[in-house]
Amino acid sequence: MNESYAEASVRQKASPVNLLIKVALIAATVFMLLFGMAYIGMFSIVAVGVLILVCVLVFPYLSVEIEYVFCDGQLDFDKIYSGNKRKTALRIDFENVEQMAPAGSHALDAYQNNPNVKTMDFTSRQRDIQPYAIIVRKGEQLSKLLFEPSEKMIAAIKQKAPRKVSEY
């Protein structure tokens, strides 16, 4: 049996919105600790407790690692929050894939200016990366998935679906 398996993972760079959320929650908690008793009174103890609970619940979702797993024609995109909570974000079957190529490739020119193509970003969001793009069709909907596969993953995908993978 000819099984192909490859996996890769990247840690997503924190977006400015994530940093703003963290700073705002910490600032609100510190402000409530320092000035809450003077202005609000005993209610500030409850407010500080609620703010700390919100920090504990929200902060894990602001640190995301994405894992790609390719196994026998299926590619899974899993999000790992704070290194311990895993959630499958997307699973695609290569029977539904139209094209896979580097993001700036001419093989993807037919899909570049199509307003119906929905883009999903599963990259690390670093500036110096060269992501790959996968065009997937589900019914009439086209999706463009950006991700950073390893060389082993590209070879495994190319072995499984050679006509759908372009390296140029």
Side-chain angles (χ1 to χ4, degrees):
M1 186 161 193
N2 190 9
E3 284 189 16
S4 57
Y5 178 83
E7 64 180 60
S9 66
V10 294
R11 179 169 293 282
Q12 274 192 338
K13 180 181 173 186
S15 69
V17 173
N18 289 356
L19 293 175
L20 183 66
I21 290 170
K22 284 182 180 180
V23 168
L25 284 172
I26 291 171
T29 304
V30 169
F31 180 79
M32 193 59 70
L33 269 171
L34 296 177
F35 303 109
M37 283 299 259
Y39 296 110
I40 302 174
M42 293 302 288
F43 177 70
S44 67
I45 296 171
V46 174
V48 167
V50 168
L51 284 170
I52 290 173
L53 181 66
V54 168
C55 288
V56 167
L57 293 176
V58 170
F59 276 23
Y61 291 98
L62 301 178
S63 172
V64 179
E65 185 176 339
I66 297 181
E67 184 178 65
Y68 321 116
V69 178
F70 177 76
C71 185
D72 284 335
Q74 280 191 338
L75 182 61
D76 292 341
F77 295 92
D78 295 339
K79 289 188 176 184
I80 303 169
Y81 299 103
S82 288
N84 61 4
K85 187 174 183 183
R86 175 185 302 264
K87 181 179 179 190
T88 300
L90 183 66
R91 176 175 284 162
I92 61 169
D93 193 355
F94 263 79
E95 292 176 3
N96 300 328
V97 169
E98 301 225 344
Q99 186 69 44
M100 176 179 153
S105 174
H106 290 292
L108 301 173
D109 285 348
Y111 308 101
Q112 292 296 353
N113 295 325
N114 189 341
N116 297 329
V117 177
K118 179 181 166 188
T119 301
M120 299 163 133
D121 188 4
F122 294 107
T123 64
S124 63
R125 299 179 183 156
Q126 301 290 333
R127 291 179 189 243
D128 58 343
I129 61 162
Q130 180 57 39
Y132 268 70
I134 296 179
I135 305 297
V136 181
R137 180 177 297 276
K138 287 187 179 179
E140 292 297 315
Q141 177 65 39
L142 283 175
S143 299
K144 179 180 177 182
L145 311 173
L146 298 173
F147 75 117
E148 300 173 46
S150 64
E151 294 298 322
K152 181 182 176 185
M153 184 176 289
I154 294 170
I157 293 171
K158 194 166 187 169
Q159 180 183 8
K160 195 69 173 177
R163 291 184 181 161
K164 296 182 180 185
V165 179
S166 173
E167 294 186 42
Y168 309 106

